[in-house]
Amino acid sequence: MMRAAFIGLGNMGRPMAAALARAGVETRGFDLSASLIDAVAKDGVVATRSLRDAIDGADVAITMLQSGDQTLAVWHEIAAKARGKLFIDCSTIDVESARAAHRLAQESGALSVDAPVSGGVAGARAATLTFMCGGEKEAFAAAKPILEHMGAHVLHCGGAGMGQATKICNNVMLGVTMIATAEAFVLAEKLGLSHRALFDAASISSGQSWSLTTYCPVPELTPASPANNDYKPGFMTALMLKDLRLAQEAAAHAGAASPLGAVATQLYALHQSSGQGAADFSSIIRLIRGE
Amino acid sequence: MMRAAFIGLGNMGRPMAAALARAGVETRGFDLSASLIDAVAKDGVVATRSLRDAIDGADVAITMLQSGDQTLAVWHEIAAKARGKLFIDCSTIDVESARAAHRLAQESGALSVDAPVSGGVAGARAATLTFMCGGEKEAFAAAKPILEHMGAHVLHCGGAGMGQATKICNNVMLGVTMIATAEAFVLAEKLGLSHRALFDAASISSGQSWSLTTYCPVPELTPASPANNDYKPGFMTALMLKDLRLAQEAAAHAGAASPLGAVATQLYALHQSSGQGAADFSSIIRLIRGE
């Protein structure tokens, strides 16, 4: 029987660890917060009181944390027990830290994969996440069946850090396109054009996007939109802002220009400043509308 | 037999008039350029030497021109013969001029529809255009069977000017999303992520859009992309710039904010300044890449 250590039991990590346990993997959970550790016991996850206890005898260590520094700190701490193991980082972190984590794993004798997710808390609960993976072929081949217990799509995007690169590139498109969609609907409102008429025309035209036809920022047009539920997330403004900042950092570091990404970052920052950090990011239409 | 006057025989107007003639409508063509008039004769369109000749005995007058001023000038000139006729303006013009044209038609006793198109020259040749229509129900009902000879989708978007409003709102989404897609691919290039890996992941994720999955700005990923053909249009940068400027004007007039639309307008303007006005608008990736 496979044994996994799952480190980081927050909004995403907890349902992911639970999905792994449901699939028959012996899953030991650890978090710096004792209350989060206690909570996972009823999900079939074994609560452990230290990183050492979690990692002992595990075949795979999975981290789901909030920053590159956190991932690196945890991987450092478990490096002594790394030989022959597989390290998977599902956190969304900066590309440079992801590459550093791969180097650390390699030096410690572990296989490693960066595997940030999309799909949010709902996807984690339903085990329908998409994993965008970076790492060597052998590491990806080892990680894929494990990640499939927690997700619907497990994609190999390239070498070390390329999972993170894919996620931020996707989210530049998402974050910018959502604002463009919001601008179009607000302009329509001011011109006297109905939401429905714009939606029906653009859905079958060149303005189509996931932001329009799956996650529309105005209510009553697409069934899964947080707009139908007063912008309860979904995917929080604060997390979109984090990802766009990671993209801007990566662009600056790599010498790439991302002008609309830069303006979008500032618009989400404004939206967060006005108290909307915990609302779904599609609520950016409120900022555009001047509410 | 229905008789149509078709005024404006440029890149779009000529194949549209030809499609109408092919469908069995007696179509009389006129343009200020004599050489354009001569050219349509071999498409089965009757060449006429004056607006008066074109409009005489016509049931419907269709204009396909370059600006609101041109549409208003032509509609003024044919207003004396308007009673009982149907006026259709297929030009992409500003919303205010479109509304003024409707008022003029109404005062002259004509039914009227603003019906800007999407689908480009290829769509005009294949008679697969999308028409976004504004006007009274009765006028739309009269225009629909005529426009169906030239297009695949004929949509009623609302009252006077709402066809124009729909088109510019669609094109705000399109123009911005294309740049976001270009930024994502350029960032991917700089990070060492392959075009194919980003495309495969984002196509089934929240970054999906028509710009990505139908009209991808990098070659060899989608069959219909001008990128496959060195950015031969397609839809020219100059026309995207025109539409985004119309959207910015409409937003300013109506009191709407469109910050990403504003920056996108400036980026396409920069791109045109660098000599890319006649290239497909997806060549904006060259500007983002610094080519």
Side-chain angles (χ1 to χ4, degrees):
Chain A
M1 190 192 198
M2 169 161 288
R3 192 183 285 187
F6 204 107
I7 298 144
L9 301 169
N11 289 335
M12 290 294 292
R14 182 180 167 180
M16 289 169 68
L20 208 54
R22 279 201 307 277
V25 176
E26 186 185 328
T27 306
R28 298 181 171 213
F30 179 72
D31 196 284
L32 286 179
S33 156
S35 65
L36 292 180
I37 300 176
D38 294 337
V40 294
K42 58 171 154 313
D43 298 334
V45 174
V46 180
T48 59
R49 294 295 147 190
S50 70
L51 260 181
R52 175 184 296 258
D53 286 353
I55 195 78
D56 238 17
D59 306 294
V60 55
I62 301 169
T63 41
M64 187 55 170
L65 302 163
Q66 287 174 19
S67 69
D69 287 349
Q70 289 184 4
T71 293
L72 282 166
V74 168
W75 284 28
H76 251 294
E77 212 171 319
I78 62 179
K81 304 243 178 172
R83 192 152 307 277
K85 289 190 173 37
L86 170 64
F87 283 8
I88 303 175
D89 184 34
C90 295
S91 322
T92 294
I93 64 173
D94 61 287
V95 176
E96 288 309 300
S97 296
R99 284 174 165 152
H102 277 276
R103 284 193 298 273
L104 173 65
Q106 191 171 30
E107 289 159 13
S108 315
L111 294 173
S112 57
V113 172
D114 56 296
V117 306
S118 80
V121 173
R125 287 194 186 125
T128 57
L129 295 169
T130 295
F131 291 91
M132 292 164 260
C133 302
E136 300 296 327
K137 273 187 188 169
E138 186 191 355
F140 176 74
K144 188 164 189 263
I146 300 165
L147 296 175
E148 282 173 341
H149 294 317
M150 299 181 280
H153 299 284
V154 182
L155 307 170
H156 192 203
C157 302
M162 292 303 102
Q164 302 296 346
T166 302
K167 179 158 184 190
I168 59 173
C169 289
N170 181 79
N171 281 11
V172 167
M173 293 190 276
L174 172 60
V176 170
T177 301
M178 181 56 79
I179 297 176
T181 307
E183 290 181 14
F185 275 104
V186 170
L187 179 55
E189 290 165 6
K190 301 272 186 179
L191 294 174
L193 174 65
S194 77
H195 290 168
R196 168 61 68 183
L198 175 57
F199 179 83
D200 287 348
S203 293
I204 58 165
S205 300
S206 51
Q208 186 278 332
S209 69
W210 185 92
S211 291
L212 178 70
T213 52
T214 299
Y215 210 84
C216 196
V218 300
E220 292 173 23
L221 293 173
T222 56
S225 287
N228 301 335
N229 197 14
D230 201 29
Y231 302 101
K232 197 179 149 206
F235 183 52
M236 289 194 297
T237 298
L239 293 174
M240 174 53 82
L241 179 57
K242 175 193 167 188
D243 288 2
L244 289 177
R245 282 181 168 150
L246 289 175
Q248 286 293 306
E249 279 168 32
H253 194 272
S258 181
L260 293 190
V263 180
T265 305
Q266 294 304 313
L267 291 170
Y268 288 108
L270 271 174
H271 194 46
Q272 174 163 273
S273 297
S274 75
Q276 300 295 311
D280 188 76
F281 80 108
S282 64
S283 67
I284 192 77
I285 194 169
R286 289 173 164 166
L287 179 79
I288 300 299
R289 201 186 271 127
E291 281 177 36
Chain B
M1 191 191 197
M2 170 162 287
R3 192 183 287 188
F6 204 107
I7 299 144
L9 302 169
N11 289 335
M12 290 294 293
R14 181 180 166 180
M16 289 169 69
L20 208 54
R22 280 202 306 279
V25 175
E26 185 185 329
T27 306
R28 300 183 170 211
F30 178 72
D31 196 284
L32 285 180
S33 155
S35 65
L36 291 179
I37 298 175
D38 294 336
V40 295
K42 58 171 156 313
D43 298 334
V45 174
V46 180
T48 58
R49 294 293 147 192
S50 69
L51 261 182
R52 175 184 295 258
D53 286 352
I55 195 77
D56 237 16
D59 306 294
V60 55
I62 302 169
T63 40
M64 188 56 169
L65 302 163
Q66 288 175 22
S67 69
D69 288 348
Q70 289 183 1
T71 293
L72 281 167
V74 168
W75 283 29
H76 251 295
E77 212 170 319
I78 62 179
K81 303 241 175 169
R83 191 153 305 278
K85 290 190 173 37
L86 170 64
F87 282 9
I88 303 176
D89 184 34
C90 294
S91 322
T92 295
I93 65 173
D94 61 287
V95 176
E96 289 308 301
S97 295
R99 285 172 165 154
H102 277 278
R103 283 193 298 272
L104 172 65
Q106 191 171 29
E107 288 160 11
S108 314
L111 293 173
S112 57
V113 173
D114 57 296
V117 307
S118 79
V121 173
R125 286 194 186 125
T128 57
L129 295 169
T130 295
F131 290 91
M132 293 166 258
C133 303
E136 299 297 325
K137 273 186 187 170
E138 186 191 355
F140 175 73
K144 188 164 188 265
I146 299 164
L147 296 175
E148 281 173 343
H149 293 317
M150 300 181 279
H153 298 285
V154 182
L155 306 170
H156 191 203
C157 302
M162 292 303 101
Q164 302 296 346
T166 302
K167 179 159 185 191
I168 59 174
C169 289
N170 181 80
N171 282 10
V172 167
M173 293 191 276
L174 172 61
V176 170
T177 301
M178 179 57 78
I179 297 176
T181 307
E183 291 182 15
F185 275 104
V186 169
L187 180 56
E189 290 165 8
K190 301 273 185 177
L191 294 174
L193 174 65
S194 77
H195 289 167
R196 167 62 67 182
L198 176 57
F199 179 83
D200 286 349
S203 293
I204 58 165
S205 299
S206 50
Q208 184 278 331
S209 70
W210 185 92
S211 291
L212 178 70
T213 53
T214 299
Y215 211 83
C216 197
V218 299
E220 292 173 25
L221 292 173
T222 56
S225 286
N228 301 336
N229 198 14
D230 201 29
Y231 301 101
K232 196 179 149 208
F235 182 53
M236 289 195 293
T237 299
L239 293 174
M240 175 54 82
L241 179 56
K242 175 193 168 189
D243 289 2
L244 289 177
R245 282 179 168 153
L246 289 175
Q248 287 292 305
E249 278 168 33
H253 194 272
S258 182
L260 293 191
V263 180
T265 304
Q266 294 304 314
L267 291 170
Y268 287 108
L270 272 173
H271 195 45
Q272 174 163 275
S273 297
S274 76
Q276 300 294 310
D280 187 77
F281 81 109
S282 63
S283 66
I284 192 77
I285 195 169
R286 290 173 162 166
L287 179 79
I288 300 298
R289 202 186 269 128
E291 280 176 39

